[in-house]
Amino acid sequence: MATPQKRGTNAAPAGQHFARLRRTRMTEALRSMVRETELAKNDFIYPLFVVPGHGVKKEVSSMPGVYQMSVDQIVRECTEVKAMGIPAVIFFGIPEEKDEVGSGAYDDLGIIQQAVRKVKHEVPELVLVTDVCLCEYTSHGHCGIVRGNEILNDESVELLAKEALSHAQAGADIVAPSDMFDGRVQAIRAILDTNGFQNIPIMSYAAKYASGFYGPFREAAESTPKFGDRRSHQMDPANAEEALREVAQDIAEGADIVMVKPAMPYLDIVQRVKERFHMPTAAYNVSGEYAMVKAAGKLGWIDEKRVMMEMLTGIKRAGADMILTYFAKEAARAIDGQR
Ligand SMILES: [Zn+2]
């Protein structure tokens, strides 16, 4: 016979040596009553890739169900997303031409600016988040200005601030700098404020790791660096304390929402960020996380829908208030009980 447990919560009554935690799991009704975390459609932000042209809807081969779309198609997609009850999208732009300084990123007639104007006009209630970075726009594929082998910080930050302002002028509701250069949140806050955009929030990619899970995204955003990698600005996957310093810094500079990216291998970071800072916290369920589930599902190795919901629930349980995910539409359908 086992030693009797110490009395406490869920302790066994006198003469009984274990707690019957299964009691509240016996039926779905009971399980639903004690459920601590419930996914909702308003947890999701749906990433979209905008390309030049008209009538373009091209599937990303490593991300089944994800498309590069021209502005007209993006408008249709956004209309659908809004009708489904998903409150927000984030735009990534693939410009017609790339150059050394990423001019397309802060061009008033750039791809994102066009998409934002059009969608804001057609689907005004949908929250439009714009990715603020240069890597999709530079010929070398880096997130900023490159000199020799170095990616320059302050020169790049100046351009990122210009880009954020240009997105706000086009009608973006939230700007989201994803570069991980130092001081960019401060620079963006300053340029927005001096131009009358005091009420535009900044969602900062505060703890963004140099991750192998971004592989499929680089195909979708056509942003693979031509040389080198992003380890001089994105974080080492081994570091957690440093993530907290990054997040603290972005909050001090004026970030309104802080993000951890990727999500699944970094749930400890999501939890620590939420517990430490009590800020609106976002987690990016990235392309590699999506592709793994899709691939294994296709092979019949996992139950794709079940794993999707489990993964997203885990991200929310860890502390994320918002989840950027390519699964947003599928998960919304699952929440609605369709399919
Ligand atoms: Zn970038």
Side-chain angles (χ1 to χ4, degrees):
M1 179 83 57
T3 328
Q5 276 183 357
K6 239 177 127 182
R7 297 296 295 273
T9 314
N10 284 323
Q16 193 180 304
H17 305 307
F18 55 88
R20 292 192 185 274
L21 289 163
R22 291 180 59 205
R23 281 184 191 127
T24 50
R25 290 180 209 143
M26 286 297 164
T27 66
E28 177 48 30
L30 283 167
R31 290 191 290 273
S32 75
M33 289 166 72
V34 299
R35 191 159 293 141
E36 298 171 37
T37 308
E38 204 127 31
L39 280 176
K41 291 187 279 185
N42 60 14
D43 297 328
F44 304 138
I45 300 174
Y46 189 46
L48 291 169
F49 299 96
V50 196
V51 293
H54 190 87
V56 181
K57 189 171 178 182
K58 186 179 158 220
E59 193 167 33
V60 180
S61 64
S62 54
M63 299 172 74
V66 173
Y67 300 84
Q68 295 180 327
M69 284 177 271
S70 51
V71 172
D72 58 303
Q73 299 296 310
I74 287 284
V75 170
R76 287 176 59 170
E77 186 72 13
C78 286
T79 308
E80 188 192 335
V81 165
K82 177 69 189 127
M84 291 176 79
I86 297 165
V89 294
I90 179 166
F91 286 156
F92 297 89
I94 296 107
E96 194 102 50
E97 279 169 31
K98 306 190 182 214
D99 61 27
E100 289 274 295
V101 291
S103 307
Y106 37 89
D107 180 348
D108 191 41
L109 300 173
I111 189 77
I112 288 293
Q113 290 81 352
Q114 288 179 41
V116 167
R117 267 192 209 98
K118 192 82 180 137
V119 174
K120 205 69 232 171
H121 185 257
E122 305 287 329
V123 200
E125 317 82 26
L126 187 66
V127 174
L128 305 187
V129 187
T130 56
D131 178 76
V132 175
C133 201
L134 296 178
C135 50
E136 294 114 69
Y137 306 91
T138 50
S139 45
H140 43 69
H142 280 294
C143 305
I145 301 296
V146 174
R147 190 173 300 149
N149 280 327
E150 197 191 340
I151 304 159
L152 304 177
N153 193 85
D154 300 13
E155 291 81 347
S156 303
V157 164
E158 227 173 278
L159 296 182
L160 291 166
K162 264 176 81 173
E163 180 181 6
L165 175 61
S166 152
H167 290 178
Q169 285 167 335
D173 297 297
I174 298 177
V175 292
S178 61
D179 50 283
M180 288 296 284
F181 296 134
D182 296 321
R184 88 274 209 227
V185 173
Q186 185 179 64
I188 290 170
R189 188 71 271 159
I191 202 169
L192 290 178
D193 289 356
T194 52
N195 285 278
F197 295 103
Q198 292 90 342
N199 291 328
I200 298 293
I202 298 175
M203 174 193 282
S204 81
Y205 288 62
K208 181 180 183 180
Y209 287 88
S211 171
F213 285 86
Y214 304 149
F217 175 92
R218 303 248 163 103
E219 182 200 341
E222 299 175 14
S223 62
T224 309
K226 296 279 182 292
F227 59 90
D229 55 37
R230 301 201 166 123
R231 287 173 219 256
S232 78
H233 45 295
Q234 295 177 355
M235 284 188 53
D236 183 336
N239 294 357
E241 295 287 341
E242 187 188 352
L244 300 178
R245 291 202 296 277
E246 280 283 3
V247 173
Q249 185 61 44
D250 280 10
I251 294 169
E253 290 181 27
D256 302 279
I257 301 164
V258 288
M259 191 201 297
V260 175
K261 183 182 181 181
M264 210 163 48
Y266 300 91
L267 293 182
D268 58 325
I269 310 298
V270 173
Q271 185 179 22
R272 288 173 75 168
V273 165
K274 188 63 189 175
E275 284 179 353
R276 172 82 66 100
F277 301 104
H278 307 287
M279 287 286 287
T281 303
Y284 202 138
N285 178 221
V286 303
S287 59
E289 299 171 59
Y290 177 83
M292 289 195 304
V293 174
K294 283 285 168 191
K298 197 171 168 184
L299 288 166
W301 290 354
I302 57 168
D303 176 340
E304 188 182 315
K305 185 177 163 189
R306 185 175 170 185
V307 168
M308 163 185 82
M309 294 305 276
E310 186 175 335
M311 188 160 91
L312 295 172
T313 302
I315 295 168
K316 184 168 182 178
R317 192 194 59 234
D321 304 292
M322 296 158 232
I323 306 172
L324 295 89
T325 180
Y326 303 99
F327 284 120
K329 285 168 69 181
E330 284 173 71
R333 275 187 217 111
I335 288 167
D336 284 341
Q338 295 171 7
R339 280 208 317 171

